[in-house]
């Protein structure tokens, strides 16, 4: 007779999986991918090292799952803040502010999400996740053109440029080897750059 | 007595190494990192598969060497074009145009340089190489502020934002799964975005 999981073993399995994901998120926030070794993950989660592979095919699969979880959470926060705002310029400013302040408040995690060299599986997640931001910026810019608030422009190019500008401007302030800087002026400067780029003037 | 390379064996060794680098550059331009397997590299270079490891500790080391070579060549081309131009707005426009036209003319190589998911060793090269562009943009923007051509701004943030905007705006047009687009309007739009971002108005 084949082994059939009972409700109880299934609940234990899900709990272990969740503990591994939580442990990975903590380790990521402390030392990036480099800190998330299989042994460190297992120890932090309080499970046997070998049991990691009962839940994930490889460490890369686990890191990709954590990436999706954390990056998805960030994207949702930005989307909700933008959705609560009106007007292209204010929505774009909100996008920059929520993205950048959240990143600067959790710099090690943000560095891992945006830039830390990592294997191709997580890299592929990074590209997918950036497209989520592109789509959000496209919606803002298209509505701004429609409303006559922004000049006519190639919406996809402008949206990608804005997301690229925000991410890359944050690389210096987020770099694990850089000095920590005051977030306020950094975020204000990035917002001004992005608003000017799409022709919204900025202030 | 220890083995000592003669002038002749040393010349052969260097020739093989160069053929491997050339082969890797060709394969990169055809199918990115995915196409650059050890066996494909050896076959294209006309050397035995095992001899690849006489020159490079691993495929990753070989790919990192090719990355440095190709990316360095691109950076030099942009630096020289910028150096032959005067005024911050025109220099920034030149930076965008040379970077973007060269990328759009060799889209598979540009995708490999900018975005293709790849292992951490090449990823680390990518960060280094981007810093070269940041430095160039910093010089342009700082001189523009000094000359009163650009408004006062945080030079490092603006430079990083401009390079991020160019790279990310190119992701769509360069994507191996996207449609090929006419380079002229793409490059003109990106130049306008970047010039506006730093307060140079654009046209």
């Amino acid at each position: 007779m084949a082994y059939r999981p009972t409700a109880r073993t299934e609940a234990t399995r899900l709990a272990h999986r969740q503990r591994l994901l939580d442990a990975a998120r903590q380790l990521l926030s402390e030392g990036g991918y480099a800190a998330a070794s299989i042994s460190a993950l297992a120890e932090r989660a309080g499970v046997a090292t070998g049991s990691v592979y009962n839940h994930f095919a490889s460490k890369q699969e686990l890191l990709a799952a954590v990436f999706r979880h954390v990056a998805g959470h960030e994207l949702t926060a930005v989307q909700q803040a933008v959705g609560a705002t009106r007007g292209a310029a204010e929505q774009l400013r909100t996008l920059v502010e929520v993205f950048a302040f959240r990143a600067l408040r959790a710099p090690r995690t943000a560095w891992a999400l945006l830039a830390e060299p990592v294997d191709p599986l997580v890299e592929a997640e990074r590209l997918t996740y950036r497209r989520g931001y592109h789509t959000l910026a496209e919606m803002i810019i298209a509505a701004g053109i429609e409303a006559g608030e922004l000049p006519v422009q190639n919406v996809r190019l402008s949206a990608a440029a804005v997301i690229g500008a925000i991410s890359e401007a944050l690389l210096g302030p987020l770099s694990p080897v850089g000095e920590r800087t005051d977030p306020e002026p950094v975020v204000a400067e990035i917002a001004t750059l992005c608003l000017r780029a799409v022709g919204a003037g900025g202030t």
Side-chain angles (χ1 to χ4, degrees), chain A residues 118-166:
Chain A
V118 65
D119 80 278
L121 208 64
V122 177
E123 267 299 309
E125 295 291 338
R126 223 175 236 164
L127 285 175
T128 303
Y129 146 84
R130 291 177 90 95
R131 275 196 285 273
Y133 286 99
H134 287 199
T135 303
L136 181 61
E138 282 170 20
M139 285 166 52
I140 297 172
I141 295 166
I145 296 169
E146 180 91 15
E149 195 184 343
L150 299 180
V152 172
Q153 56 200 290
N154 180 320
V155 172
R156 289 189 63 191
L157 280 182
S158 294
V162 161
I163 301 307
I166 302 171

Side-chain angles (χ1 to χ4, degrees), chain A residues 72-106:
Chain A
H73 187 69
E74 289 303 305
L75 179 57
T76 301
V78 175
Q79 284 169 330
Q80 286 177 344
V82 167
T85 319
R86 290 293 166 264
E90 278 317 299
Q91 287 187 322
L92 204 52
R93 184 187 298 282
T94 301
L95 189 162
V96 174
E97 287 179 352
V98 177
F99 185 113
F101 274 126
R102 290 179 66 92
L104 292 164
R105 272 199 299 265

Side-chain angles (χ1 to χ4, degrees), chain A residues 38-96:
Chain A
I38 288 283
S39 59
L41 281 162
E43 193 188 336
R44 184 69 64 100
V47 304
T49 302
S51 91
V52 173
Y53 298 103
N54 296 338
H55 302 279
F56 300 96
S58 63
K59 188 178 96 165
Q60 285 70 34
E61 293 273 0
L62 169 52
L63 291 179
V66 173
F67 187 98
R68 276 193 298 275
H69 180 81
V70 179
H73 187 69
E74 289 303 305
L75 179 57
T76 301
V78 175
Q79 284 169 330
Q80 286 177 344
V82 167
T85 319
R86 290 293 166 264
E90 278 317 299
Q91 287 187 322
L92 204 52
R93 184 187 298 282
T94 301
L95 189 162
V96 174

